Short mmCIF file of all heavy atoms in Angstrom, two decimals:
data_model
loop_
_atom_site.label_atom_id
_atom_site.label_comp_id
_atom_site.label_asym_id
_atom_site.label_seq_id
_atom_site.Cartn_x
_atom_site.Cartn_y
_atom_site.Cartn_z
N GLN H 5 -107.32 -185.59 -75.21
CA GLN H 5 -107.90 -185.53 -73.84
C GLN H 5 -106.69 -185.82 -72.91
O GLN H 5 -105.88 -186.77 -73.12
CB GLN H 5 -108.92 -186.60 -73.61
CG GLN H 5 -110.02 -186.61 -74.62
CD GLN H 5 -110.80 -185.31 -74.87
OE1 GLN H 5 -111.09 -184.59 -73.91
NE2 GLN H 5 -110.87 -184.87 -76.07
N ILE H 6 -106.63 -184.99 -71.86
CA ILE H 6 -105.72 -185.23 -70.72
C ILE H 6 -106.68 -185.52 -69.55
O ILE H 6 -107.27 -184.56 -68.99
CB ILE H 6 -104.84 -183.99 -70.43
CG1 ILE H 6 -104.07 -183.48 -71.67
CG2 ILE H 6 -103.83 -184.24 -69.30
CD1 ILE H 6 -103.61 -182.07 -71.52
N VAL H 7 -106.82 -186.77 -69.17
CA VAL H 7 -107.99 -187.03 -68.31
C VAL H 7 -107.57 -187.11 -66.81
O VAL H 7 -106.54 -187.53 -66.43
CB VAL H 7 -108.55 -188.43 -68.78
CG1 VAL H 7 -108.99 -188.32 -70.17
CG2 VAL H 7 -107.59 -189.54 -68.49
N TRP H 8 -108.46 -186.62 -66.02
CA TRP H 8 -108.31 -186.59 -64.57
C TRP H 8 -109.23 -187.58 -63.95
O TRP H 8 -110.26 -187.95 -64.47
CB TRP H 8 -108.52 -185.15 -63.96
CG TRP H 8 -109.82 -184.52 -64.13
CD1 TRP H 8 -110.07 -183.68 -65.25
CD2 TRP H 8 -110.89 -184.44 -63.18
NE1 TRP H 8 -111.37 -183.21 -64.99
CE2 TRP H 8 -111.89 -183.64 -63.82
CE3 TRP H 8 -111.07 -185.05 -61.93
CZ2 TRP H 8 -113.11 -183.37 -63.10
CZ3 TRP H 8 -112.30 -184.72 -61.30
CH2 TRP H 8 -113.25 -183.99 -61.88
N SER H 9 -108.87 -188.00 -62.74
CA SER H 9 -109.65 -188.97 -62.04
C SER H 9 -109.86 -190.31 -62.73
O SER H 9 -110.91 -190.85 -62.67
CB SER H 9 -110.95 -188.36 -61.58
OG SER H 9 -111.53 -189.13 -60.49
N PRO H 10 -108.81 -190.91 -63.26
CA PRO H 10 -108.88 -192.14 -63.99
C PRO H 10 -109.23 -193.38 -62.99
O PRO H 10 -109.80 -194.36 -63.43
CB PRO H 10 -107.55 -192.44 -64.68
CG PRO H 10 -106.58 -191.60 -63.81
CD PRO H 10 -107.36 -190.40 -63.37
N ILE H 11 -108.90 -193.15 -61.66
CA ILE H 11 -109.27 -194.26 -60.82
C ILE H 11 -110.44 -193.77 -59.89
O ILE H 11 -110.69 -194.28 -58.76
CB ILE H 11 -108.09 -194.62 -59.95
CG1 ILE H 11 -107.48 -193.48 -59.11
CG2 ILE H 11 -107.00 -195.38 -60.68
CD1 ILE H 11 -106.45 -193.93 -58.12
N ALA H 12 -111.16 -192.80 -60.40
CA ALA H 12 -112.37 -192.28 -59.76
C ALA H 12 -112.16 -191.90 -58.31
O ALA H 12 -112.79 -192.36 -57.43
CB ALA H 12 -113.58 -193.31 -59.91
N GLN H 13 -111.11 -191.07 -58.05
CA GLN H 13 -110.73 -190.67 -56.75
C GLN H 13 -110.52 -191.79 -55.79
O GLN H 13 -110.83 -191.61 -54.59
CB GLN H 13 -111.82 -189.66 -56.22
CG GLN H 13 -111.94 -188.45 -56.98
CD GLN H 13 -110.67 -187.64 -56.97
OE1 GLN H 13 -110.26 -187.09 -55.99
NE2 GLN H 13 -110.10 -187.49 -58.24
N GLY H 14 -110.05 -192.88 -56.23
CA GLY H 14 -109.70 -194.11 -55.44
C GLY H 14 -110.73 -195.11 -55.44
O GLY H 14 -110.40 -196.29 -54.92
N VAL H 15 -111.98 -194.86 -55.92
CA VAL H 15 -113.03 -195.81 -55.84
C VAL H 15 -112.65 -197.12 -56.69
O VAL H 15 -112.96 -198.16 -56.26
CB VAL H 15 -114.39 -195.23 -56.45
CG1 VAL H 15 -115.42 -196.31 -56.60
CG2 VAL H 15 -114.84 -194.15 -55.55
N LEU H 16 -111.92 -196.89 -57.71
CA LEU H 16 -111.57 -197.98 -58.63
C LEU H 16 -110.40 -198.78 -58.08
O LEU H 16 -109.97 -199.79 -58.81
CB LEU H 16 -111.35 -197.55 -60.09
CG LEU H 16 -112.67 -197.19 -60.88
CD1 LEU H 16 -112.39 -196.56 -62.19
CD2 LEU H 16 -113.53 -198.41 -61.10
N THR H 17 -109.81 -198.39 -56.98
CA THR H 17 -108.82 -199.20 -56.45
C THR H 17 -109.36 -200.42 -55.65
O THR H 17 -108.69 -201.36 -55.39
CB THR H 17 -107.92 -198.41 -55.43
OG1 THR H 17 -108.78 -198.08 -54.30
CG2 THR H 17 -107.33 -197.23 -56.09
N GLY H 18 -110.71 -200.33 -55.32
CA GLY H 18 -111.43 -201.40 -54.65
C GLY H 18 -111.14 -201.27 -53.10
O GLY H 18 -111.68 -202.19 -52.46
N LYS H 19 -110.57 -200.19 -52.62
CA LYS H 19 -110.47 -200.07 -51.20
C LYS H 19 -111.71 -199.68 -50.44
O LYS H 19 -111.75 -199.88 -49.19
CB LYS H 19 -109.32 -199.12 -50.88
CG LYS H 19 -109.66 -197.58 -51.18
CD LYS H 19 -108.40 -196.68 -50.88
CE LYS H 19 -108.71 -195.26 -51.37
NZ LYS H 19 -107.50 -194.44 -51.13
N TYR H 20 -112.68 -199.14 -51.20
CA TYR H 20 -113.95 -198.84 -50.52
C TYR H 20 -114.87 -200.00 -50.68
O TYR H 20 -115.16 -200.52 -51.79
CB TYR H 20 -114.64 -197.60 -51.21
CG TYR H 20 -113.78 -196.33 -51.01
CD1 TYR H 20 -113.04 -195.86 -52.13
CD2 TYR H 20 -113.68 -195.68 -49.84
CE1 TYR H 20 -112.26 -194.70 -51.98
CE2 TYR H 20 -112.94 -194.52 -49.67
CZ TYR H 20 -112.22 -194.06 -50.76
OH TYR H 20 -111.43 -192.91 -50.55
N LEU H 21 -115.35 -200.54 -49.56
CA LEU H 21 -116.12 -201.82 -49.54
C LEU H 21 -117.63 -201.50 -49.23
O LEU H 21 -117.94 -200.73 -48.48
CB LEU H 21 -115.54 -202.72 -48.56
CG LEU H 21 -114.14 -203.10 -48.63
CD1 LEU H 21 -113.65 -204.07 -47.47
CD2 LEU H 21 -113.87 -203.93 -49.92
N PRO H 22 -118.50 -202.32 -49.98
CA PRO H 22 -119.91 -202.05 -49.76
C PRO H 22 -120.33 -202.40 -48.36
O PRO H 22 -119.86 -203.41 -47.73
CB PRO H 22 -120.52 -203.05 -50.74
CG PRO H 22 -119.53 -204.09 -51.13
CD PRO H 22 -118.21 -203.35 -51.06
N GLY H 23 -121.15 -201.52 -47.79
CA GLY H 23 -121.73 -201.75 -46.46
C GLY H 23 -120.64 -201.43 -45.33
O GLY H 23 -121.01 -201.64 -44.18
N GLN H 24 -119.55 -200.84 -45.66
CA GLN H 24 -118.51 -200.44 -44.61
C GLN H 24 -118.18 -199.04 -44.85
O GLN H 24 -118.18 -198.49 -45.85
CB GLN H 24 -117.31 -201.34 -44.78
CG GLN H 24 -117.52 -202.87 -44.60
CD GLN H 24 -116.24 -203.62 -44.65
OE1 GLN H 24 -115.18 -203.08 -44.37
NE2 GLN H 24 -116.35 -204.92 -44.95
N PRO H 25 -117.70 -198.38 -43.63
CA PRO H 25 -117.29 -197.02 -43.74
C PRO H 25 -116.04 -196.88 -44.46
O PRO H 25 -115.27 -197.80 -44.63
CB PRO H 25 -117.16 -196.60 -42.28
CG PRO H 25 -117.01 -197.91 -41.50
CD PRO H 25 -117.71 -198.83 -42.29
N PRO H 26 -115.76 -195.64 -45.08
CA PRO H 26 -114.49 -195.49 -45.76
C PRO H 26 -113.31 -195.68 -44.87
O PRO H 26 -113.33 -195.39 -43.64
CB PRO H 26 -114.56 -194.04 -46.25
CG PRO H 26 -116.02 -193.67 -46.24
CD PRO H 26 -116.56 -194.47 -45.14
N PRO H 27 -112.15 -196.18 -45.44
CA PRO H 27 -110.95 -196.33 -44.53
C PRO H 27 -110.58 -194.97 -44.02
O PRO H 27 -110.65 -193.94 -44.62
CB PRO H 27 -109.97 -196.95 -45.53
CG PRO H 27 -110.72 -197.50 -46.65
CD PRO H 27 -111.97 -196.65 -46.81
N ALA H 28 -110.09 -194.96 -42.82
CA ALA H 28 -109.48 -193.77 -42.13
C ALA H 28 -108.42 -193.16 -42.95
O ALA H 28 -107.50 -193.95 -43.50
CB ALA H 28 -108.95 -194.10 -40.80
N GLY H 29 -108.39 -191.89 -43.26
CA GLY H 29 -107.39 -191.17 -44.03
C GLY H 29 -107.59 -191.22 -45.48
O GLY H 29 -106.77 -190.81 -46.24
N SER H 30 -108.65 -191.84 -45.93
CA SER H 30 -108.84 -192.01 -47.42
C SER H 30 -109.49 -190.75 -48.01
O SER H 30 -109.92 -189.86 -47.24
CB SER H 30 -109.86 -193.16 -47.68
OG SER H 30 -111.12 -192.94 -47.15
N ARG H 31 -109.51 -190.62 -49.30
CA ARG H 31 -110.01 -189.47 -49.87
C ARG H 31 -111.44 -189.16 -49.52
O ARG H 31 -111.83 -188.04 -49.41
CB ARG H 31 -109.97 -189.59 -51.47
CG ARG H 31 -110.46 -188.41 -52.27
CD ARG H 31 -109.58 -187.19 -52.14
NE ARG H 31 -108.26 -187.45 -52.46
CZ ARG H 31 -107.66 -187.39 -53.64
NH1 ARG H 31 -108.37 -187.24 -54.70
NH2 ARG H 31 -106.32 -187.62 -53.79
N ALA H 32 -112.27 -190.21 -49.29
CA ALA H 32 -113.64 -189.98 -48.93
C ALA H 32 -113.84 -189.32 -47.54
O ALA H 32 -114.90 -188.79 -47.33
CB ALA H 32 -114.38 -191.41 -48.98
N THR H 33 -112.84 -189.42 -46.70
CA THR H 33 -112.91 -188.77 -45.40
C THR H 33 -112.27 -187.34 -45.37
O THR H 33 -112.34 -186.67 -44.36
CB THR H 33 -112.18 -189.69 -44.39
OG1 THR H 33 -110.78 -189.77 -44.61
CG2 THR H 33 -112.78 -191.00 -44.27
N ASP H 34 -111.67 -186.97 -46.50
CA ASP H 34 -111.05 -185.63 -46.48
C ASP H 34 -112.11 -184.58 -46.84
O ASP H 34 -113.00 -184.75 -47.64
CB ASP H 34 -109.98 -185.68 -47.69
CG ASP H 34 -109.31 -184.30 -47.84
OD1 ASP H 34 -108.39 -184.00 -47.04
OD2 ASP H 34 -109.67 -183.53 -48.71
N SER H 35 -112.06 -183.48 -46.15
CA SER H 35 -113.03 -182.41 -46.32
C SER H 35 -113.17 -181.84 -47.73
O SER H 35 -114.15 -181.37 -48.15
CB SER H 35 -112.74 -181.25 -45.35
OG SER H 35 -111.49 -180.70 -45.56
N THR H 36 -111.95 -181.95 -48.48
CA THR H 36 -112.00 -181.40 -49.84
C THR H 36 -112.50 -182.38 -50.85
O THR H 36 -113.33 -182.12 -51.67
CB THR H 36 -110.56 -180.92 -50.25
OG1 THR H 36 -110.03 -179.99 -49.29
CG2 THR H 36 -110.59 -180.21 -51.62
N GLY H 37 -111.92 -183.65 -50.69
CA GLY H 37 -112.37 -184.68 -51.73
C GLY H 37 -113.55 -185.47 -51.44
O GLY H 37 -114.09 -186.11 -52.28
N GLY H 38 -113.97 -185.49 -50.10
CA GLY H 38 -115.08 -186.36 -49.74
C GLY H 38 -116.41 -186.09 -50.53
O GLY H 38 -117.13 -186.96 -50.90
N ASN H 39 -116.68 -184.81 -50.67
CA ASN H 39 -117.93 -184.41 -51.39
C ASN H 39 -117.95 -184.82 -52.77
O ASN H 39 -118.94 -185.26 -53.29
CB ASN H 39 -118.15 -182.88 -51.32
CG ASN H 39 -118.53 -182.42 -49.85
OD1 ASN H 39 -118.94 -183.17 -49.10
ND2 ASN H 39 -118.19 -181.17 -49.62
N PHE H 40 -116.76 -184.81 -53.40
CA PHE H 40 -116.63 -185.14 -54.77
C PHE H 40 -116.92 -186.64 -55.11
O PHE H 40 -117.57 -187.03 -56.08
CB PHE H 40 -115.15 -184.78 -55.30
CG PHE H 40 -115.05 -185.12 -56.72
CD1 PHE H 40 -115.46 -184.25 -57.77
CD2 PHE H 40 -114.38 -186.28 -57.16
CE1 PHE H 40 -115.26 -184.57 -59.14
CE2 PHE H 40 -114.23 -186.61 -58.55
CZ PHE H 40 -114.69 -185.77 -59.46
N ILE H 41 -116.49 -187.58 -54.16
CA ILE H 41 -116.69 -188.94 -54.49
C ILE H 41 -117.80 -189.63 -53.81
O ILE H 41 -118.16 -190.83 -54.11
CB ILE H 41 -115.45 -189.80 -54.14
CG1 ILE H 41 -115.19 -189.86 -52.64
CG2 ILE H 41 -114.22 -189.23 -54.88
CD1 ILE H 41 -114.14 -190.88 -52.22
N SER H 42 -118.62 -188.75 -52.96
CA SER H 42 -119.67 -189.36 -52.26
C SER H 42 -120.76 -190.02 -53.16
O SER H 42 -121.32 -191.08 -52.74
CB SER H 42 -120.30 -188.31 -51.40
OG SER H 42 -120.88 -187.27 -52.16
N ARG H 43 -120.95 -189.47 -54.29
CA ARG H 43 -121.96 -189.99 -55.27
C ARG H 43 -121.62 -191.38 -55.71
O ARG H 43 -122.41 -192.11 -56.25
CB ARG H 43 -122.23 -189.06 -56.43
CG ARG H 43 -120.91 -188.77 -57.20
CD ARG H 43 -121.22 -187.83 -58.29
NE ARG H 43 -120.00 -187.29 -58.94
CZ ARG H 43 -119.21 -187.99 -59.75
NH1 ARG H 43 -119.53 -189.23 -60.06
NH2 ARG H 43 -118.13 -187.40 -60.21
#
C-alpha cells in the first residue's frame, strides 16, 4: 500500500477544534479540499 491522507487532510494535526470554525487558509476552507474533509 502507498497510502494517501495519513493525517486525514489535516484533521489529525489537531488544528481543527470542536465548536469552532476552521482556521483561515486551512484545507477545510479550500474549494477543492473542503468537501473532502467536511465529513
Side-chain angles (χ1 to χ4, degrees):
Q5 311 304 313
I6 307 160
V7 304
W8 60 273
S9 197
I11 59 174
Q13 298 299 295
V15 172
L16 287 170
T17 66
K19 67 182 176 184
Y20 298 104
L21 301 176
Q24 297 187 26
S30 65
R31 181 66 54 83
T33 63
D34 181 77
S35 59
T36 306
N39 291 336
F40 180 79
I41 70 168
S42 59
R43 58 181 167 75

